[in-house]
Amino acid sequence: MSTHVQSRLSTARMTVHGRIVNASNHTMLVELDADDGGVLAVYKPRDGERPLWDFPFGSLHRREVAAFAVSDYLGWGLVPPTVLRDGPLGPGSVQLFIDHDPRRHYFVLVGEQQHDSQLMRMAVFDLLLNNADRKGSHVLLDAEGHVWGCDHGLTFHTEPKLRTVIWEFGGTALPPSWSEDLVRLAHDVGADMAPMRLRLLDLLDAEEVAALGARAAGMARLASLPDLAEDERPYPWPPV
Ligand SMILES: Nc1ncnc2c1ncn2[C@@H]1O[C@H](COP(=O)(O)OP(=O)(O)O)[C@@H](O)[C@H]1O
Ligand SMILES: [Mg+2]
């Protein structure tokens, strides 16, 4: 399914519907193949990225695609299919739009228990990506009960940058199958001709790819998710 969606996202004709108002960048809702059973997507053109002091200008949309590549590789299904492509405002990332109720954000879902395993996996993913911006509104529940994450532009930095709202699972044991996935990732990220390594090197700096491999190897050895003291937990601002 995902490969088919990716090829459609990559090649279909794009119509811009409008700018998403609560976004920090020039983020747009677009429709692909509008005349032919269209599909909605979120387009983030490189040239619409807000300059930041700590991330190289023009790299955020590539990080969005790299986040999808990692989620896809692990088989964790956390990031909607996301591709790099040209659009009406130039090159950018295009991500499948997930129909969801924005009132049902992280802080609501975390009180409902049935999403716990998916939310905990997102916490692991954020540590792995060194995600600097996991806000409550970047957690989306679809009609099938699947939890997706969006907004992965501030990820893969080589310096510690973690800022997330997901701190409820500290101390919980990591399922062995997740650790095995992380071992696999650490291996492939470091293996010269591994397709995953090559895919990431197209999107990130070599140092960022190496740092990802090191985090994956370190996290594969963790028995449980880190549990920080309440006053040490780095939250993004605003949290929703
Ligand atoms: N793939 C998606 N599916 C559905 N809604 C999305 C998706 N990506 C982003 N959004 C919505 O648009 C808002 C802004 O997107 P976001 O990725 O946070 O942009 P920015 O990088 O500009 O902050 C999100 O808070 C979310 O509500
Ligand atoms: Mg955002």
Side-chain angles (χ1 to χ4, degrees):
M1 173 288 220
S2 173
T3 328
H4 170 72
V5 175
Q6 283 176 69
S7 71
R8 193 161 182 202
L9 291 177
S10 301
T11 56
R13 212 164 56 81
M14 199 191 292
T15 314
V16 174
H17 280 321
R19 190 164 171 181
I20 298 179
V21 287
N22 65 343
S24 349
N25 299 292
H26 202 101
T27 297
M28 274 164 298
L29 183 68
V30 299
E31 189 166 357
L32 301 165
D33 278 337
D35 342 316
D36 185 17
V39 55
L40 292 175
V42 173
Y43 167 45
K44 298 190 176 185
R46 177 193 63 201
D47 295 347
E49 291 178 14
R50 183 168 53 108
L52 298 165
W53 68 271
D54 50 353
F55 284 84
F57 180 68
S59 73
L60 272 50
H61 68 294
R62 307 182 79 84
R63 297 170 196 278
E64 297 273 2
V65 181
F68 167 67
V70 173
S71 162
D72 189 38
Y73 172 92
L74 293 168
W76 289 7
L78 287 171
V79 182
T82 314
V83 302
L84 209 58
R85 66 166 282 179
D86 209 358
L89 294 170
S93 60
V94 173
Q95 180 174 82
L96 184 67
F97 179 83
I98 303 295
D99 200 10
H100 69 286
D101 177 353
R103 290 167 302 186
R104 310 248 304 132
H105 50 63
Y106 174 76
F107 295 102
V108 175
L109 303 184
V110 75
E112 297 179 349
Q113 278 154 29
Q114 73 264 33
H115 316 294
D116 276 5
S117 165
Q118 296 189 78
L119 295 175
M120 179 173 158
R121 193 146 73 167
M122 194 171 286
V124 173
F125 187 67
D126 287 341
L127 288 171
L128 176 66
L129 264 57
N130 192 17
N131 190 354
D133 198 26
R134 174 67 65 202
K135 296 187 165 93
S137 58
H138 297 160
V139 178
L140 322 170
L141 177 73
D142 75 12
E144 276 81 52
H146 188 107
V147 175
W148 301 91
C150 71
D151 204 356
H152 300 103
L154 303 187
T155 48
F156 299 106
H157 206 286
T158 54
E159 304 286 322
K161 289 277 174 196
L162 181 71
R163 280 195 300 267
T164 172
V165 293
I166 314 181
W167 288 107
E168 278 72 16
F169 303 96
T172 312
L174 236 63
S177 69
W178 298 3
S179 306
E180 286 158 22
D181 292 338
L182 293 168
V183 169
R184 198 161 51 86
L185 177 68
H187 174 271
D188 278 12
V189 160
D192 263 352
M193 295 308 285
M196 182 55 178
R197 175 177 167 78
L198 300 176
R199 191 174 179 194
L200 289 172
L201 284 172
D202 269 348
L203 299 165
L204 304 169
D205 287 354
E207 295 73 31
E208 292 168 337
V209 174
L212 170 68
R215 283 194 303 275
M219 289 177 61
R221 290 191 291 270
L222 287 181
S224 58
L225 266 153
D227 195 10
L228 302 182
E230 212 162 313
D231 61 349
E232 290 176 340
R233 294 176 192 159
Y235 279 87
W237 193 261
V240 182

